[in-house]
Amino acid sequence: MPYTLQQLTEFTRDIFKAIGCNQKDAALAADVLLRSDLRGIDSHGIARLSGYVRLWEKGRINVMPNIKIVHETPTTATVDGDAGLGLVVAPFAMQVAIDKAEKYGSGWVSVRNSNHFGIAGYHALMAVEKDMIGFAMTNASPLVAPTYSSERLLGTNPMCYAFPAGDYPPVVVDMATSAAANGKLEIAQRLGKQVPEGWIQDKTGAITTDPHALKSGGSLLPLGSDAEHGSHKGFALSATVDILSAVLSGANYGPWVPPFVAFLEPPSDPVGLGIGHFVGAMRVDGFRPVNEFKADMDNWIKRFKTSQTINPLQKVIIPGEPELAAEIDRTKNGIPLVDAVVKDLNDLALKFKINPLR
Amino acid sequence: MPYTLQQLTEFTRDIFKAIGCNQKDAALAADVLLRSDLRGIDSHGIARLSGYVRLWEKGRINVMPNIKIVHETPTTATVDGDAGLGLVVAPFAMQVAIDKAEKYGSGWVSVRNSNHFGIAGYHALMAVEKDMIGFAMTNASPLVAPTYSSERLLGTNPMCYAFPAGDYPPVVVDMATSAAANGKLEIAQRLGKQVPEGWIQDKTGAITTDPHALKSGGSLLPLGSDAEHGSHKGFALSATVDILSAVLSGANYGPWVPPFVAFLEPPSDPVGLGIGHFVGAMRVDGFRPVNEFKADMDNWIKRFKTSQTINPLQKVIIPGEPELAAEIDRTKNGIPLVDAVVKDLNDLALKFKINPLR
């Protein structure tokens, strides 16, 4: 039996309040987190709630942060998240970018001293609502090896670009820069299945199909999988996310990014503050009238959607379509949770004396 | 025997002057084109000179363009290239972006009605010289099939991000969003070699290793190669380049992009003007002091360069390193050209009555 969005949102909000967030931050953090479940990205949603709580227990999340701009020009800024929830820090930063774009055409914000920000798409879509193009990226715990390396030096560092359209829904590119997301490995682990070659390597750097290799010192591979198929490009994209998010803001980068899991200690020799994000917004009408842009976006989408396909039953998928389909389905039919997640959440409920899920 | 940079630059400048470019534009176009040869990207350099001339002969390149801003805000602009050489239009657009960034922190320019702009790295590096982060992208002739499609709907649409560093050279990410560049296929064709699975498909969409498949209706594949290895991400990146470059500016997008080769006619139902680019610049000191950023860039580069590798003899390659190594080598030792290119250039010399190369 799936849960309703409202039920899970209230539950999540109550947990965030229980650890000390104010009403507004708790509601925002719950909204961001549940948007991930709604959009079908189960790995980044409520399943992570207990992870955030454990980070708070370790003193690594500040639930009453003083989030502020520490450096700026009319169209650029660095925001310090004061070790707050990324779920709260990133929307603050995106709002700064949008405000600057409203005045000057574009706005760009690099963020330091933050934590995991949920799905990048949430933040980029804030700009789309204002007829802007939205950008959102974040660095993350090191799990990916650069081409030729046997070390985990980069996160799955997602990039998101979101574009408003007219009659069609927005085009939302929201992708990890690794060949496969960690969530896909976890599914294979649960099912006891091998994974395809090109997703991971073992701790020596040898190719493997064992989904458990990551836990024994192996690495995810960059998009492209191997040098012959362009993995240096996936590495370069991941590096771009890391530099814009962390070198530019003064956050930790590369192997110094603090791990999301609380049982691993952050490196003892940090090179910056917390993890980093990079967000931006550009007004469409800074380039051409919005109605002209949207008409061409619709034509672009239509042409690609109706293109000839190898298998007539498998159409071309426009970036953002699967997530939107999930959002429509789950808004109507509810959000399914696996038993392990429900148990994890109800342990939290017990600990913080709030009503369990069932 | 390799040729000197000066020799090839003068030759190229003379050809551009011969077709009607003024002295300044001819010198700039030659500088951009030769920078590609210098950086080892032979496919985008002087080997294309006769291609530009053939486009001019077809009336598709305007050698006396009135390049102008047609729409702008303090930090955004759309530039119309008036069908000029992309080699001249893109530096104009980048200068607009840099000027805006100097005043407001960042500048972003979408370009329509242009032609092929050489290597993206040239343009992005203009920003790096000013202690800015440079962005450059362009759409291109359709050669790449989206995931699941058997149609060529996108170009190899490169993305470039360039970051200044301190003691180390800049980090320059300059990559086609396809699994393999077209230039690599051409090398395989010349050598009569098969290419790896995952670079191309034939006209039915079936996997093939025949490098000639592209010429008989096949397609290049997006970065990621197949759905299981994330080719939808390569498709999404290529779509991002197409939208920022062309839907945003009012250029042709997707399958409507006019082909670079003059023997193919542009689509008879254009959706915009010429091809599109997107360039941008952000001042580093719009985010943090330049010296702090550069110190962290150096630390980032050093950590990745010295990371443990699978094969001790194959170090991790920092984005931009191979191109810089080529630039240093070829500046000193000259630029080698294959015989077919020399013959092609000397046919031009004969036609325009300028001194042949040898």
Side-chain angles (χ1 to χ4, degrees), chain B residues 197-258:
Chain B
E197 279 190 14
W199 284 17
I200 48 173
Q201 64 187 19
D202 70 17
K203 66 182 174 184
T204 70
I207 291 169
T208 178
T209 59
D210 173 9
H212 299 282
L214 194 63
K215 290 191 175 164
S216 51
S219 311
L220 289 167
L221 294 171
L223 177 60
S225 296
D226 58 35
E228 195 169 68
H229 295 86
S231 66
H232 57 290
K233 299 179 184 184
F235 163 46
L237 291 171
S238 183
T240 298
V241 173
D242 200 33
I243 293 169
L244 289 173
S245 301
V247 179
L248 194 54
S249 65
N252 289 291
Y253 43 81
W256 287 281
V257 175

Side-chain angles (χ1 to χ4, degrees), chain A residues 234-255:
Chain A
F235 162 46
L237 291 171
S238 183
T240 297
V241 173
D242 200 33
I243 294 169
L244 289 173
S245 301
V247 179
L248 195 53
S249 65
N252 289 291
Y253 43 80

Side-chain angles (χ1 to χ4, degrees), chain B residues 93-306:
Chain B
M94 195 68 198
Q95 192 57 52
V96 172
I98 288 170
D99 291 347
K100 288 178 177 292
E102 270 169 0
K103 278 192 197 154
Y104 298 101
S106 70
W108 306 89
V109 180
S110 193
V111 180
R112 72 184 191 204
N113 209 1
S114 188
N115 282 285
H116 195 275
F117 76 8
I119 50 167
Y122 182 98
H123 313 297
L125 280 166
M126 285 173 66
V128 169
E129 285 167 27
K130 309 274 185 182
D131 283 339
M132 296 179 183
I133 296 170
F135 298 67
M137 336 186 153
T138 186
N139 69 4
S141 318
L143 290 174
V144 179
T147 306
Y148 303 125
S149 179
S150 54
E151 284 191 86
R152 297 160 16 156
L153 296 181
L154 290 160
T156 52
N157 296 4
M159 301 189 135
C160 177
Y161 303 92
F163 303 96
D167 295 335
Y168 286 102
V171 171
V172 185
V173 172
D174 186 358
M175 49 172 269
T177 51
S178 51
N182 197 17
K184 288 194 180 176
L185 275 195
E186 289 167 356
I187 292 170
Q189 288 165 5
R190 262 205 305 276
L191 301 177
K193 284 193 175 171
Q194 299 291 294
V195 297
E197 279 190 14
W199 284 17
I200 48 173
Q201 64 187 19
D202 70 17
K203 66 182 174 184
T204 70
I207 291 169
T208 178
T209 59
D210 173 9
H212 299 282
L214 194 63
K215 290 191 175 164
S216 51
S219 311
L220 289 167
L221 294 171
L223 177 60
S225 296
D226 58 35
E228 195 169 68
H229 295 86
S231 66
H232 57 290
K233 299 179 184 184
F235 163 46
L237 291 171
S238 183
T240 298
V241 173
D242 200 33
I243 293 169
L244 289 173
S245 301
V247 179
L248 194 54
S249 65
N252 289 291
Y253 43 81
W256 287 281
V257 175
F260 178 74
V261 289
F263 63 83
L264 290 178
E265 291 300 319
S268 57
D269 57 344
V271 293
L273 296 167
I275 78 168
H277 318 310
F278 181 75
V279 296
M282 297 193 307
R283 262 167 46 200
V284 166
D285 69 1
F287 297 90
R288 68 188 295 206
V290 171
N291 63 331
E292 290 181 14
F293 175 82
K294 288 187 172 176
D296 271 323
M297 280 300 294
D298 283 347
N299 191 45
W300 190 100
I301 294 165
K302 188 176 160 198
R303 179 64 182 87
F304 280 79
K305 272 181 84 77
T306 57

Side-chain angles (χ1 to χ4, degrees), chain A residues 32-109:
Chain A
V32 178
L33 205 61
L34 266 298
R35 189 73 177 277
S36 178
D37 294 289
L38 210 54
R39 287 173 73 81
I41 309 157
D42 298 344
S43 55
H44 286 51
I46 198 167
R48 285 193 182 231
L49 184 55
S50 65
Y52 288 102
V53 171
R54 281 191 294 272
L55 284 174
W56 167 75
E57 286 169 338
K58 283 265 189 172
R60 286 177 50 196
I61 283 178
N62 174 6
V63 288
M64 293 283 279
N66 176 20
I67 306 167
K68 60 176 189 289
I69 295 173
V70 290
H71 193 107
E72 70 180 317
T73 70
T75 68
T76 64
T78 294
V79 160
D80 187 307
D82 196 20
L85 286 163
L87 306 167
V88 172
V89 175
F92 176 98
M94 195 68 198
Q95 192 58 53
V96 172
I98 288 170
D99 291 346
K100 288 177 177 293
E102 270 169 1
K103 277 192 198 156
Y104 298 101
S106 70
W108 307 89
V109 180

Side-chain angles (χ1 to χ4, degrees), chain A residues 198-220:
Chain A
W199 285 16
I200 47 174
Q201 64 187 20
D202 71 16
K203 66 181 173 185
T204 69
I207 291 170
T208 177
T209 60
D210 173 9
H212 298 282
L214 195 63
K215 290 190 175 164
S216 50
S219 310
L220 289 167

Side-chain angles (χ1 to χ4, degrees), chain A residues 100-158:
Chain A
K100 288 177 177 293
E102 270 169 1
K103 277 192 198 156
Y104 298 101
S106 70
W108 307 89
V109 180
S110 193
V111 180
R112 72 185 191 202
N113 210 0
S114 188
N115 283 285
H116 195 273
F117 77 7
I119 50 168
Y122 182 98
H123 313 296
L125 281 166
M126 285 173 66
V128 169
E129 285 167 28
K130 308 274 184 183
D131 283 340
M132 297 178 183
I133 297 170
F135 298 67
M137 334 186 156
T138 186
N139 69 4
S141 318
L143 290 174
V144 179
T147 305
Y148 303 125
S149 179
S150 54
E151 283 191 87
R152 299 163 10 161
L153 296 181
L154 290 160
T156 53
N157 296 4

